């Protein structure tokens, strides 16, 4: 009986010990969490269309790059003074259509015959999120323009960066290509427009890369490995001033009128040749009579065998 009591007492002591140990463990965890909060530690996570750069350091130590936080990553703790910068992962567009949400107005170009035209369109691309390349982009360009994301949307710095690294190269490329074509061909000739688009594409990709200094802007489907590829351009037909469009429409209308008049003249000439042939065969009076009969102004009446003819004047 005494042995049983002793065993029960020992089991109770062990149970109380486990409870105390659990309480101590929870207290330690709480202290650690409170320590993180008190020391200024934060945590970040990434969305499926977002990548982050993590930099460690603070007011009293050098800021150093730590790592890239890939898309759809769970909570990552940042130490005191650490910072992270978010950039878009996946397809993005530089829109120069002039619409309300566009990054830019249409781009102005000058044709071979010195006519100013406006071109709307877009450049579709993917920011190169290869970790080493993205870090280089951030330190060379992103910090300068403040191009990293703020919250869930792009920043004004992102727009300013695109206007410099896309609009200016596109402007140069379009102007250079446009010097090879007259405005009417750019506006009205599908073959000329296709040639112009191909030339703009070649020059734009070259100038964008030269301006950026590296392959920071890749093809829309780029996934971070392999060949970066080229930005995809979508360009609308160049639009000249409305006054030239109206003048071109009037010119086309005049051409159609001239063509119609030529057809009328051809018909009249044919009729004259026909009359000449009638005169040659029937003589002048015979030709006049024939024409009157054809026009219904003279009615031919058959003569009966008895020679009696009744003529009724034609009512007019």
């Amino acid at each position: 009986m005494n042995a049983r009591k002793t065993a029960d007492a020992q089991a109770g002591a062990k149970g109380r010990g486990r409870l105390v140990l659990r309480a101590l463990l929870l207290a330690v965890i709480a202290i650690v969490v409170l320590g993180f909060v008190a020391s200024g530690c934060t945590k970040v996570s990434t969305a499926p269309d977002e990548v982050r750069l993590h930099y460690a350091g603070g007011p009293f130590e050098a800021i150093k790059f730590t790592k890239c936080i890939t898309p759809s990553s769970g909570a990552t703790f940042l130490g005191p003074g650490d910072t992270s910068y978010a950039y878009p992962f996946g397809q993005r567009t530089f829109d120069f259509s002039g619409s309300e949400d566009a990054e830019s107005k249409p781009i102005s170009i000058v044709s071979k015959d010195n006519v100013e035209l406006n071109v709307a369109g877009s450049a579709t691309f993917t920011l190169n999120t290869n970790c080493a390349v993205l870090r280089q982009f951030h330190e060379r360009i992103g910090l300068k323009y403040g191009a990293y994301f703020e919250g869930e949307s792009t920043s004004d710095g992102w727009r300013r960066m695109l206007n410099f690294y896309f609009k200016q190269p596109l402007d140069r490329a379009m102007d250079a290509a446009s010097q090879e074509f007259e405005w009417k061909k750019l506006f009205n000739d599908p073959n000329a427009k296709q040639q112009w688009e191909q030339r703009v594409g070649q020059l734009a990709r070259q100038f964008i890369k030269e301006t950026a200094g590296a392959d920071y802007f890749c093809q829309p489907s780029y996934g971070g490995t392999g060949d970066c590829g080229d930005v995809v351009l979508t360009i609308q037909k160049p639009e000249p001033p409305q006054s030239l469009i109206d003048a071109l429409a009037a010119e086309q209308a005049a051409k159609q009128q001239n063509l119609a008049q030529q057809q009328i003249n051809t018909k009249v000439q044919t009729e004259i040749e026909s009359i000449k042939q009638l005169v040659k065969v029937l003589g002048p009076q015979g030709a006049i009579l024939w024409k009157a009969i054809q026009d219904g102004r003279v009615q031919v009446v058959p003569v009966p065998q008895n020679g009696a003819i009744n003529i009724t004047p034609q009512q007019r």
Side-chain angles (χ1 to χ4, degrees), residues 123-257:
T124 307
F125 67 97
T126 293
L127 184 65
N128 193 334
T129 52
N130 174 283
C131 190
V133 178
L134 182 61
R135 175 190 173 186
Q136 187 183 73
F137 169 82
H138 171 70
E139 294 174 359
R140 290 184 179 180
I141 297 174
L143 285 172
K144 177 181 177 181
Y145 286 90
Y148 39 86
F149 280 20
E150 297 176 350
E152 298 181 354
S153 61
T154 55
S155 62
D156 289 337
W158 176 263
R159 286 174 175 260
R160 287 188 289 109
M161 182 274 295
L162 289 182
N163 268 279
F164 184 84
Y165 288 97
F166 275 86
K167 184 175 182 179
Q168 292 194 24
L170 280 171
D171 200 332
R172 285 177 57 203
M174 288 184 185
D175 263 340
S178 301
Q179 290 300 307
E180 303 174 12
F181 301 90
E182 296 178 351
W183 78 269
K184 285 184 181 180
K185 289 188 175 295
L186 290 175
F187 180 67
N188 230 14
D189 187 336
N191 292 330
K193 181 177 179 292
Q194 184 178 17
Q195 295 172 19
W196 173 76
E197 286 178 343
Q198 291 174 349
R199 184 61 176 150
V200 169
Q202 293 170 353
L203 294 174
R205 295 177 186 102
Q206 174 188 335
F207 294 159
I208 288 172
K209 185 173 180 179
E210 287 178 357
T211 303
D215 285 327
Y216 297 136
F217 308 106
C218 304
Q219 62 181 322
S221 60
Y222 182 65
T225 58
D227 183 25
C228 175
D230 292 325
V231 171
V232 174
L233 296 178
T234 303
I235 308 174
Q236 304 298 322
K237 181 171 69 173
E239 290 290 331
Q242 187 61 45
S243 58
L244 288 183
I245 296 177
D246 294 340
L248 184 60
E251 179 183 333
Q252 293 300 319
K255 286 182 179 179
Q256 292 300 318
Q257 291 174 354

Side-chain angles (χ1 to χ4, degrees), residues 34-48:
L34 289 173
F36 270 111
V37 173
S39 62
C41 291
T42 57
K43 64 178 181 178
V44 296
S45 58
T46 54

Side-chain angles (χ1 to χ4, degrees), residues 94-99 101-107 121 159 163 167:
F94 172 67
D95 183 351
F96 52 98
S97 65
S99 63
D101 297 329
E103 283 78 16
S104 170
K105 296 179 180 179
I107 294 174
R159 286 174 175 260
N163 268 279
K167 184 175 182 179

